[in-house]
Amino acid sequence: MNTLNTLTAPIGRLFLSLIFITSGLNKIAQYQGTQGYMEAMGVHGALLPLAIATEVLGGLAVLLGWKTRYAALVLAGFSVVSGVLFHSDFADQAQMINFMKNLTIAGGFIMIMAHGAGNYALDNHFNKPAK
């Protein structure tokens, strides 16, 4: 049971971070299409580099457990804001499901904010008391 407890935090960080890392990289690969979609939804396309940086860098920070509580705060906010901006057509069941997915992800990040990165995190290495 101790091995399972040791691995749950890094596995959770991996699962939460993968959607952001892959989404950010896909936005780079599909830059013009993503920018056009953002503009069609009423969001200025000039914000795309900020969205990419938030997803990729925030996702990597959570994955590695570096400045994890701050990265989790940023990604929780990003999840809620993007849910409101892009998935607020509640008459469309698919959009409602995507909105709820975003809230669920934000909830996971709030848990990380409350409890920290857990095991196998850079935060633990850098926050050791000096001897």
Side-chain angles (χ1 to χ4, degrees):
M1 188 65 167
N2 286 339
T3 302
L4 181 62
N5 288 340
T6 301
L7 296 176
T8 54
I11 291 170
R13 290 195 326 266
L14 170 68
F15 289 169
L16 277 168
S17 65
L18 277 180
I19 193 170
F20 290 92
I21 296 167
T22 58
S23 180
L25 294 176
N26 285 333
K27 283 177 176 62
I28 294 169
Q30 313 258 323
Y31 195 91
Q32 288 183 329
T34 303
Q35 191 174 38
Y37 175 71
M38 288 174 65
E39 290 174 351
M41 298 301 289
V43 178
H44 201 286
L47 293 174
L48 182 53
L50 179 60
I52 292 168
T54 300
E55 289 183 320
V56 173
L57 297 177
L60 288 172
V62 168
L63 175 64
L64 298 172
W66 182 72
K67 302 288 185 186
T68 313
R69 290 178 195 247
Y70 297 115
L73 172 65
V74 168
L75 290 175
F78 183 88
S79 295
V80 172
V81 169
S82 62
V84 169
L85 291 175
F86 298 106
H87 305 299
S88 59
D89 179 8
F90 299 139
D92 180 347
Q93 185 177 10
Q95 293 303 316
M96 174 62 105
I97 290 169
N98 280 321
F99 180 79
M100 296 305 291
K101 171 205 50 115
N102 280 41
L103 289 184
T104 302
I105 292 168
F109 283 123
I110 290 169
M111 291 294 291
I112 288 177
M113 289 169 47
H115 298 285
N119 294 311
Y120 302 109
L122 291 177
D123 287 344
N124 298 332
H125 176 72
F126 292 116
N127 294 332
K128 286 184 180 178
K131 293 183 179 182

